[in-house]
Amino acid sequence: MPLFSFVLRRILQMIPTVVFILVVTFVLVRLLPGDPASAMLGDRAIDADVERINASLGLDKPIPIQFLYFVKNVFTGDLGTSIALKLPVTTIIMQRLPVTLMLTLMAALLALILAVPLAFLAALKREQTADAVIRGTFQVGLSMPVFYVGILMLTVFGATLKWFPVGGYGDTFGDRLYHLFLPALTLAFSFSAVLMRNLRSSVIGVINAEYVDFARAKGLRPRTIMIRHVLRNALISTVTLFGLQIGTLFGGAVITETVFAVPGAGRLMIDSIYGRDYPVLQGLTIALAVLVSLTFLATDIFQAWLDPRIAR
Amino acid sequence: MSMAIEKMGTYARFRQLALPRTLICGMVIIGVSLLIAFFPALFAPYDPIAFDYKALLKGPTLAHPFGTDSFGRDVLSRVIHAYTIDMQIAVFATVGPFIFGTIVGAYVGYAGGLAEATFGRVVDAVITFPFLVLVIAIVSVLGPGLANMYIAVGIVGWVFYARLVAAEVKVQKRLDYADAGRVMGYTPMRIVFRHLLPNAITPAIVYWMTDMALAILLGSSLGYLGLGAQPPAAEWGVQIADGKNFMSTAWWISVFPGIAIVITGLGFSLLGDGLAQLMRVRR
Amino acid sequence: MRVGIGTGLGLTVRGLTTLFDTPRGTALAVADVDLDVAPGEMVGLVGESGSGKSVTLRSIMGLVQTPGHVTGRVEWGGRDLVAMPSEELRRIRGSEIAMIFQEPMTALNPVLPVGLQLEENLVAHTRLNARERRARALELMTIVGIPAAERRLNEFPHQFSGGMRQRAMIAIALACSPKLLLADEPTTALDVTIQDQILKLLLDLRDRLAMSVLLVTHDLGVIAGTCDRMAVMYAGRIVEMGSVVDVFSQPHHPYTRGLLGSVPRAGAVRTMLSSIEGTPPSLTHLPAGCAFHPRCSFATEICRQERPPLTSIGHERKAACFHHDRVAAAEAIL
């Protein structure tokens, strides 16, 4: 059961990271200029009112105490109340985060569908025309900023051809898939380029490995060799890349949600930064950081499953 | 088979006398871009912020090859003048992180131990976070504008360089010539900077090229969001934002600046790839 | 369990030639090689790196891909392997003819359990069910001498020691009871004591399973200890062939002489190790005439102009040298 102990070890390793995240978020938010009370009441606030509200938010207590309250609240699910929307932060996040998650997952899937077959093709036809065309196209895609791709997609497929709706979210699950398709494709565009590049060199490395020759010497079917020997080994380094790209993916999601007016966590983040809505900002940061850590954990575990040398 | 393949390596080494094609393409594109960036007035037919109310939203014509925007400004001239700002972004946003990151990375890579462990945690934390969001957060705290963007990128961007250099230095310090330096009594500082670093810095330089392409993407994204260069300055992201509401009627306002971004980004990427190829051959 | 069409005729290679298109020209890796391996025989193929011995093995197995081209005839069981369609060849590979590689750490897939790598051979070529495959796998592990076979089958290559990995590779190769084993430097990557064990294992298997072996190595000691017949390769061609006893006692080619002379011998009078001057030629720019002439102390004008063909000089004895009598008459080395 080496895999099991590996998973356990990694989960335990996550704990200090989570603590670190909480501390950093706490500190950063407190460092931001302006205090929530002034933000809420505006420029013409009276000092007494500001003090009153600050007290009600617990901002007059010493910092360490505040931190303890903070941690307690986080674990009981109380992330405060949004200054702008006057709703509990947890509620707002629960409304908006799933949207972004859906968008990101769709984008990741589309990126894989685009990248994997083409990476294989490029690797197998290395240095030939097909390879150059594939790499060139993806390189151009990589050089296009996300908002540019988004605007083009929106105009061509949304406004002009009217194949897809021009932004928004939709109501039913199917409807949402429909609305999110263009934004997901936009995100997938540059993500697939990064994946393709990595997977291609991975496959090239693997295809020339001795064990592939040995597999051929064993007289295995070509398909067996491709899937069990080549793909599995080539994926190992690409999985790591997947995890590392999560941050970039979210950044892209922020922009995509802006372009397509999708009510997701990305836009929420921008809005709360602009509007100095600290509770929301704080809550989102924590949620985001935890999600990213979980993603890292998941990719690490998947990688260890693929490559048993890691779990040692 | 072993001999034939061996000889291919030697052949590749012969080819180092001629530079890789990608490197040449990259140098041409960036060279032209720099030229335009330094002397925009030579290339641009009009003043980039001059309004012309008689020619609003006109399509591409001989007089205005890239058309005009909603203020009657010539899009071509704006795209050309934007080279200055965007190339500036490419350099200023990356050079600080490059230098600072290399120095820190060299130290961490050589010192190892606690420095390495701490650095590892820092790296984890930074790469965990979406770069763009971090930059946006810092910029919105400091206020919009390019200077603040450089600060924001600088605070976070050095980590990527440090990571690369630290890994290379770590490898290099195990090699024999580093031991030779120690045996001869050189101070660690001298070993690191005069001997290890010239070899270890190669991946950082290659990354720098790609980073410049990324810096333009970042800069134009912020420009699009209104957090970077401020209107009426000509910057590609800002231009694309200007034209986003006119995509169906006046597509040229947004499309052409975007093409400029792509070409310049490709130029830097080719430069980076070409350099990497050159370095690989030299090894 | 016997798989494979009855051969009884062994392996016959005629005119095997392998070319590679490289940026620097066409490399002639294997030129006009004729070989025979009789059933139950162990034939050694010896030469320096770059002599073409590994490529010969891979050409026989059909493992050479573009930019390589293989021509010639490789007869096995009445069929020509070179001309055969790839699907048919695939069925022979691994079942009738097996190959083991030099470095077991890289030849075994690091992320798959050893047992799986063994059983997939059985899956590809037999109709055994899972239980039967497992049984066969255990049997094979025991034959090659790996203890605690049950546990080992579930482990990964990195958990095995060097010698055990090589045994595992042999076990995988033997899965379908091949009639011919091609061994590409099987002991080069191992230390001397393990080398010995593996060679003994190969000999043992040859006897028990009536298997032919074509053993490629650069180590003359290995050939001396195991092979019946041998062939010496230089610059892609066979330059001498015969029984091991004959060749060692009286080499007829200057290169063979050089090889034998460069092996240090314990217990003999200490003299300077004779080595062969110069380096092997580039396969894209072979010298005119005899490929060995720039390094040969017996060379004359004709050697610079014409390439000596591999001629028969006795019973099952061949050499490719215009001056082979002079070479044979020269002072004995061993």
Side-chain angles (χ1 to χ4, degrees):
Chain A
M1 288 277 113
L3 190 61
F4 183 65
S5 65
F6 177 75
V7 173
L8 213 56
R9 252 185 297 141
R10 287 295 283 112
I11 292 182
L12 287 174
Q13 273 172 4
M14 250 188 79
I15 296 179
T17 316
V18 171
V19 171
F20 181 67
I21 291 169
L22 288 174
V23 170
V24 170
T25 317
F26 179 77
V27 167
L28 276 183
V29 171
R30 299 261 163 328
L31 281 180
L32 293 171
D35 58 272
S38 312
M40 278 198 292
L41 298 173
D43 288 330
R44 296 188 296 164
I46 312 169
D47 280 349
D49 285 339
V50 169
E51 269 181 41
R52 186 170 41 88
I53 294 186
N54 280 339
S56 76
L57 288 172
L59 290 172
D60 53 342
K61 302 217 175 32
I63 299 278
I65 307 279
Q66 284 190 43
F67 183 63
L68 287 174
Y69 270 119
F70 173 63
V71 173
K72 165 181 156 280
N73 286 339
V74 167
F75 279 99
T76 55
D78 174 15
L79 291 166
T81 314
S82 160
I83 298 173
L85 300 169
K86 311 264 186 290
L87 291 167
V89 170
T90 321
T91 315
I92 301 178
I93 293 184
M94 292 305 271
Q95 270 177 356
R96 310 274 289 234
L97 199 56
V99 179
T100 306
L101 280 175
M102 191 168 166
L103 174 64
T104 328
L105 279 170
M106 278 178 73
L109 208 65
L110 284 171
L112 278 174
I113 295 178
L114 274 176
V116 173
L118 289 173
F120 257 90
L121 191 59
L124 290 172
K125 302 246 177 271
R126 188 183 176 194
E127 302 300 343
Q128 294 167 46
T129 327
D131 181 22
V133 167
I134 291 176
R135 279 197 296 159
T137 318
F138 275 98
Q139 184 69 13
V140 171
L142 202 55
S143 307
M144 296 171 78
V146 177
F147 62 89
Y148 189 58
V149 176
I151 290 181
L152 288 175
M153 292 267 185
L154 190 69
T155 312
V156 171
F157 295 109
T160 314
L161 291 173
K162 296 210 193 331
W163 286 355
F164 289 94
V166 181
Y169 189 43
D171 305 305
T172 66
F173 184 68
D175 205 23
R176 283 174 186 166
L177 279 178
Y178 185 49
H179 276 268
L180 286 181
F181 185 74
L182 279 186
L185 193 60
T186 306
L187 256 186
F189 217 67
S190 37
F191 190 43
S192 60
V194 175
L195 280 181
M196 201 281 312
R197 208 169 38 176
N198 182 282
L199 193 57
R200 175 186 169 273
S201 54
S202 212
V203 171
I204 287 179
V206 168
I207 271 195
N208 290 323
E210 277 257 290
Y211 56 82
V212 172
D213 263 353
F214 188 52
R216 292 174 59 223
K218 280 194 274 192
L220 300 179
R221 280 197 192 80
R223 211 182 49 177
T224 316
I225 299 180
M226 273 304 149
I227 297 182
R228 186 183 291 153
H229 291 269
V230 177
L231 183 61
R232 195 173 160 141
N233 289 62
L235 273 181
I236 292 174
S237 81
T238 313
V239 166
T240 326
L241 184 70
F242 217 93
L244 288 174
Q245 286 289 312
I246 287 294
T248 324
L249 208 54
F250 185 74
V254 166
I255 297 193
T256 314
E257 286 176 15
T258 312
V259 171
F260 287 89
V262 171
R267 267 219 308 175
L268 181 64
M269 188 148 234
I270 301 293
D271 293 340
S272 61
I273 290 177
Y274 268 130
R276 306 240 187 284
D277 196 342
Y278 298 142
V280 174
L281 198 53
Q282 188 176 271
L284 256 184
T285 313
I286 296 174
L288 202 64
V290 169
L291 266 175
V292 172
S293 298
L294 283 174
T295 314
F296 274 9
L297 184 66
T299 49
D300 272 356
I301 294 177
F302 188 54
Q303 209 185 10
W305 176 72
L306 277 180
D307 185 352
R309 291 173 290 185
I310 295 180
R312 242 194 308 188
Chain B
M1 178 145 86
S2 51
M3 253 186 96
I5 305 301
E6 234 172 51
K7 295 296 168 154
M8 275 212 276
T10 341
Y11 174 73
R13 257 176 260 135
F14 285 165
R15 282 188 56 168
Q16 79 173 10
L17 301 171
L19 296 173
R21 262 193 315 247
T22 44
L23 185 59
I24 297 183
C25 280
M27 287 191 336
V28 167
I29 297 180
I30 298 307
V32 172
S33 306
L34 282 172
L35 200 61
I36 301 179
F38 276 116
F39 306 107
L42 282 181
F43 297 91
Y46 298 86
D47 181 346
I49 55 179
F51 297 172
D52 184 0
Y53 288 111
K54 283 176 272 149
L56 298 179
L57 297 175
K58 293 275 183 265
T61 58
L62 272 176
H64 295 280
F66 283 2
T68 61
D69 66 7
S70 57
F71 293 106
R73 299 176 291 199
D74 176 42
V75 175
L76 175 62
S77 306
R78 281 178 68 76
V79 168
I80 288 179
H81 276 266
Y83 266 94
T84 316
I85 298 190
D86 281 290
M87 290 298 281
Q88 210 180 74
I89 293 178
V91 174
F92 289 8
T94 53
V95 90
F98 173 62
I99 296 178
F100 184 63
T102 305
I103 296 178
V104 172
Y107 169 69
V108 169
Y110 195 73
L114 187 61
E116 199 184 334
T118 323
F119 180 65
R121 299 279 111 222
V122 170
V123 168
D124 282 346
V126 169
I127 61 176
T128 301
F129 228 79
F131 191 62
L132 180 69
V133 175
L134 222 46
V135 171
I136 290 179
I138 298 177
V139 165
S140 63
V141 164
L142 298 172
L146 283 179
N148 292 334
M149 186 181 87
Y150 299 147
I151 296 177
V153 174
I155 293 180
V156 191
W158 62 271
V159 174
F160 299 93
Y161 292 94
R163 194 163 63 132
L164 277 174
V165 174
E168 263 308 300
V169 167
K170 194 166 169 195
V171 164
Q172 294 285 330
K173 83 169 181 189
R174 296 228 162 100
L175 295 181
D176 290 337
Y177 74 92
D179 279 336
R182 271 190 286 271
V183 162
M184 291 211 271
Y186 290 155
T187 64
M189 183 113 140
R190 181 168 169 179
I191 297 181
V192 169
F193 284 100
R194 288 206 54 208
H195 300 274
L196 298 185
L197 205 50
N199 290 320
I201 211 175
T202 316
I205 293 185
V206 171
Y207 182 72
W208 187 19
M209 299 293 131
T210 341
D211 201 22
M212 285 202 258
L214 291 176
I216 294 185
L217 288 181
L218 185 68
S220 57
S221 299
L222 286 180
Y224 176 81
L225 293 173
L227 294 172
Q230 296 296 297
E235 190 271 313
W236 293 323
V238 171
Q239 283 189 273
I240 298 180
D242 283 344
K244 74 170 186 267
N245 293 324
F246 300 99
M247 278 303 282
S248 311
T249 49
W251 54 268
W252 49 88
I253 307 179
S254 293
V255 169
F256 287 115
I259 296 181
I261 296 180
V262 173
I263 295 181
T264 320
L266 274 177
F268 280 116
S269 300
L270 286 172
L271 207 56
D273 281 349
L275 265 177
Q277 246 181 295
L278 190 68
M279 296 302 168
R280 255 199 309 267
V281 160
R282 282 261 171 80
R283 268 174 198 246
Chain C
M1 185 208 70
R2 295 283 140 149
V3 175
I5 306 169
T7 59
L9 293 169
L11 180 77
T12 308
V13 179
R14 292 286 175 267
L16 186 65
T17 305
T18 306
L19 300 162
F20 283 91
D21 294 323
T22 72
R24 303 202 36 238
T26 312
L28 187 58
V30 177
D32 242 350
V33 162
D34 292 347
L35 267 183
D36 293 281
V37 184
E41 213 186 7
M42 196 128 150
V43 176
L45 194 54
V46 71
E48 295 164 286
S49 346
S51 56
K53 29 189 225 304
S54 294
V55 185
T56 307
L57 284 191
R58 282 165 199 257
S59 306
I60 294 175
M61 271 297 242
L63 289 179
V64 174
Q65 292 172 304
T66 40
H69 310 280
V70 178
T71 46
R73 251 179 45 229
V74 176
E75 274 182 30
W76 172 260
R79 292 156 301 175
D80 179 12
L81 299 183
V82 177
M84 201 180 276
S86 54
E87 176 58 22
E88 229 188 297
L89 184 58
R90 181 190 73 74
R91 270 182 254 132
I92 296 184
R93 278 208 298 257
S95 57
E96 292 178 39
I97 308 182
M99 185 159 163
I100 56 179
F101 291 35
Q102 176 176 333
E103 185 32 285
M105 193 59 232
T106 49
L108 294 174
N109 193 330
V111 308
L112 297 174
V114 173
L116 174 62
Q117 299 190 47
L118 214 169
E119 288 181 32
E120 67 179 350
N121 199 350
L122 295 169
V123 169
H125 298 290
T126 69
R127 283 196 154 52
L128 301 178
N129 66 35
R131 210 165 15 101
E132 291 168 331
R133 287 200 295 268
R134 216 350 103 107
R136 174 76 179 145
L138 286 169
E139 190 191 336
L140 285 161
M141 297 286 269
T142 322
I143 292 179
V144 300
I146 297 181
E150 188 80 55
R151 179 168 58 95
R152 289 294 182 182
L153 282 177
N154 292 328
E155 287 184 349
F156 295 88
H158 65 260
Q159 294 169 288
F160 283 42
S161 71
M164 261 206 287
R165 265 181 240 138
Q166 191 59 285
R167 289 176 197 269
M169 188 153 60
I170 294 175
I172 296 177
L174 294 179
C176 305
S177 299
K179 285 273 154 222
L180 173 64
L181 180 67
L182 304 177
D184 191 356
E185 309 238 28
T187 54
T188 306
L190 304 169
D191 17 282
V192 185
T193 41
I194 315 279
Q195 263 187 35
D196 205 47
Q197 290 174 11
I198 298 292
L199 288 173
K200 280 205 174 50
L201 174 63
L202 283 177
L203 279 170
D204 188 41
L205 291 169
R206 187 270 303 259
D207 293 334
R208 278 211 273 167
L209 308 173
M211 195 172 59
S212 325
V213 180
L214 181 54
L215 177 68
V216 157
T217 177
H218 65 267
D219 187 340
L220 286 167
V222 168
I223 302 250
T226 54
C227 298
D228 309 313
R229 282 174 44 239
M230 65 185 279
V232 181
M233 274 188 86
Y234 186 78
R237 286 176 195 277
I238 297 193
V239 296
E240 182 154 9
M241 208 155 79
S243 75
V244 171
V245 174
D246 280 347
V247 176
F248 270 60
S249 57
Q250 198 178 48
H252 276 250
H253 193 279
Y255 179 60
T256 319
R257 221 184 118 76
L259 280 181
L260 288 167
S262 60
V263 177
R265 281 160 359 257
V269 174
R270 285 240 199 127
T271 52
M272 288 277 285
L273 267 187
S274 69
S275 63
I276 314 177
E277 273 183 29
T279 52
S282 146
L283 294 177
T284 46
H285 297 92
L286 291 165
C290 172
F292 187 62
H293 84 252
R295 306 167 75 184
C296 182
S297 46
F298 296 84
T300 61
E301 192 53 37
I302 188 177
C303 304
R304 284 181 258 281
Q305 311 237 343
E306 274 182 53
R307 187 167 39 81
L310 187 64
T311 37
S312 184
I313 54 175
H315 172 66
E316 294 226 349
R317 199 76 172 79
K318 294 195 186 149
C321 181
F322 294 118
H323 307 294
H324 67 91
D325 330 290
R326 280 202 300 148
V327 179
E331 194 184 312
I333 301 181
L334 287 179

